[in-house]
Structure formats: structure tokens, C-alpha cells
Amino acid sequence: MTRSTVFAPFDIVEGDRKRGIVLLADHARRDLPEEYGSLGLPAAEFDRHIAYDIGVETVTRELAALLGVPAVLANFSRLLIDPNRGEDDPTLIRQLYDGTVISGNYPLVWEERERRLDGFYRPYHDAVGAMIASVAQACASAPFILSVHSFTPFMQGFVRPWHVGILWDRDDRVARPLIDMLAEDKSLIVGDNEPYDGALRGDTMFRHAIVNGFAHALIEIRQDLIADRQDAVAWAERLAPIVDAINRRPDMHQIRRFGSRTGPL
């Protein structure tokens, strides 16, 4: 975890917008602005999955470089506020996460909640929206959005067997070929809406892709497979030709509104 008196809520990786791809990393970093200290937590908690998606920053930056496409990364820890939740989601600012009490988030007055929304959450989503609009304009068609995440191998006593999972709601234009191409490697256990369900109202994919009819998917890579930089780079190299091939499919750049399993849009 790093500190800075000037805290940027997001980082932009530049790339060729004409390629029609936007990479996102909602949980790329574990940093906190100086004024929040450590939210009352010992430093070791920021090495855990509760603070960020381990390995994702490297995978995303390397994948962006290999594909030559732009990316938007959130710079703040999910313990401050979770950008992959709707503003009305009860887990937007967690007070308890996988057995850890986040004392700096309790009690949380309305004014502080709004301060975090205005200072971190909304600027990140504004940057995501602006990047998607810029890519759409540059390629003169609907963009293909891929959100990169990672998951802990163990959760609440359950061993998660998947090496990688693809999360999606009703639009399977990206999810189905991505699952199929990853599964061609017989050494991989590929999850279909595992270890989470991709239908989450108000999350990043819902907000920026589903309601707009843009082709998209969320990829979850198991954290022990990308915790080391060399392994994270290898995963980016594995994904790059797959994502490139999917991007060349004509239906990737069409607006098609499939709706959501969470209810009416």
C-alpha cells in the first residue's frame, strides 16, 4: 500500500482506441488516501484479497500493452469504497469482510459516504464512461468491454477449484467464445458464472455495458495463479490472442440489448 497527499482515483493506460476494446480493472490497487490512514486495520490486511484483486494490475497493464488498447484502473482499495457495486448496494462500503472488521468504516455517516462517492467512486466511473465513449467514437461502432478481476482460492472454508471464471448476465457474445477458447486448454478448469454470478445490478458491467447494449464479459483469474509478476504476465500472454480473436467477430461491435436477469433496465 502506498501513500500520497495528492490521490488520483483512477489511472489511464493509453492505447489505440480504433481497435474498439476497453479494459477495466475495478480492484487493481489497495491504496488509500493519506487522510484515511489504514481504516483501522493492520498492514497485513492490505496483502489480502479483501483489499484488492491480487495480480490484476499487472495482468491488465500487460494485456493492454500486448493488444495495444486502452485501460482504466481504479487506484483506491475496495475497502474504501467498492467501484464494482451500485451506489445503493449494501456492500458498497463494507464494515465486515471475510472475517475482518473494518473499524474505519463504522459508524459511517451519510456525509462521509457521499464524500467517498464524490471523491473516488464517481470520478472512476466518469473516467470509465469517458473512455468507452472515446473508443466508440474512434472506432465508429460499439466497443467491446472486458473487466479483469481475480478471486481468492479459499473463501469461507470452501476450496475454489476453478483456475479462471467468466461472469456474464444475459449477453453471451463475449462469454461463450471466451469460455470455449479457454477450455481448449485441458489443464484449465473454467468456470461459467463461477465463482460468482455475473448478474449484479448496478455493478460496472451493468452500468457501462449492459444498459448500453455493448458486448462485454468479466474475467476472474484465481489469485495464486497471478500473484507472481511472471505468472501474471504469462496469463496476459495467454489471454491476448483470445481477446484479439473475439474482438474480430462482427457481433462484438453491434449494440444489442439483452436485458438483465436482475430485472428491467
Side-chain angles (χ1 to χ4, degrees):
M1 184 171 62
T2 60
R3 300 282 185 201
S4 174
T5 54
V6 178
F7 191 94
F10 60 87
D11 193 22
I12 301 292
V13 176
E14 290 297 341
D16 183 2
R17 287 163 168 77
K18 292 181 180 180
R19 296 221 60 208
I21 302 176
V22 178
L23 301 181
L24 303 177
D26 299 325
H27 302 144
R29 299 184 64 85
R30 54 187 167 176
D31 298 353
L32 293 173
E34 189 173 30
E35 64 266 29
Y36 286 96
S38 62
L39 292 174
L41 296 174
E45 294 289 356
F46 289 88
D47 293 331
R48 297 182 59 212
H49 72 96
I50 65 170
Y52 73 124
D53 279 357
I54 295 165
V56 155
E57 181 175 11
T58 299
V59 172
T60 305
R61 290 184 183 277
E62 291 296 322
L63 184 58
L66 289 165
L67 293 170
V69 301
V72 185
L73 297 83
N75 283 343
F76 51 91
S77 172
R78 66 198 302 173
L79 294 177
L80 182 70
I81 189 167
D82 192 334
N84 195 38
R85 296 292 184 273
E87 291 194 16
D88 59 350
D89 192 300
T91 64
L92 178 70
I93 301 175
R94 291 180 183 261
Q95 298 173 349
L96 175 67
Y97 195 1
D98 196 19
T100 295
V101 175
I102 301 99
S103 60
N105 291 344
Y106 182 84
L108 193 75
V109 298
W110 182 86
E111 291 79 6
E112 176 56 30
R113 179 183 180 279
E114 286 299 305
R115 182 181 180 219
R116 297 188 194 186
L117 283 167
D118 283 342
F120 310 100
Y121 178 101
R122 288 169 183 151
Y124 170 69
H125 281 287
D126 287 347
V128 170
M131 178 61 76
I132 290 171
S134 174
V135 169
Q137 182 178 32
C139 69
S141 62
F144 156 29
I145 304 169
L146 183 67
S147 186
V148 185
H149 289 250
S150 67
F151 65 96
T152 180
F154 308 97
M155 188 71 170
Q156 298 175 342
F158 178 67
V159 178
R160 291 159 150 182
W162 309 281
H163 299 103
V164 60
I166 307 304
L167 277 53
W168 57 288
D169 192 341
R170 282 184 171 166
D171 183 350
D172 66 350
R173 284 178 290 171
V174 177
R176 185 51 52 201
L178 188 51
I179 291 168
D180 290 346
M181 283 190 260
L182 285 167
E184 289 176 7
D185 184 340
K186 301 306 179 184
S187 69
L188 291 181
I189 301 174
V190 182
D192 182 348
N193 270 327
E194 298 286 0
Y196 307 105
D197 190 330
L200 180 60
R201 196 169 191 86
D203 71 354
T204 301
M205 291 292 90
F206 182 92
R207 177 172 182 164
H208 295 285
I210 292 172
V211 298
N212 293 316
F214 297 154
H216 64 281
L218 188 154
I219 184 167
E220 292 266 5
I221 307 168
R222 207 173 68 197
Q223 289 170 357
D224 58 313
L225 303 178
I226 56 173
D228 177 84
R229 176 175 174 78
Q230 182 176 351
D231 291 338
V233 170
W235 263 92
E237 292 171 344
R238 180 201 299 264
L239 289 171
I242 293 174
V243 175
D244 182 63
I246 292 173
N247 187 54
R248 296 176 187 276
R249 297 166 64 111
D251 57 344
M252 288 303 105
H253 300 287
Q254 299 172 358
I255 293 176
R256 297 179 62 189
R257 290 182 171 86
F258 290 75
S260 171
R261 289 182 279 122
T262 66
L265 300 181

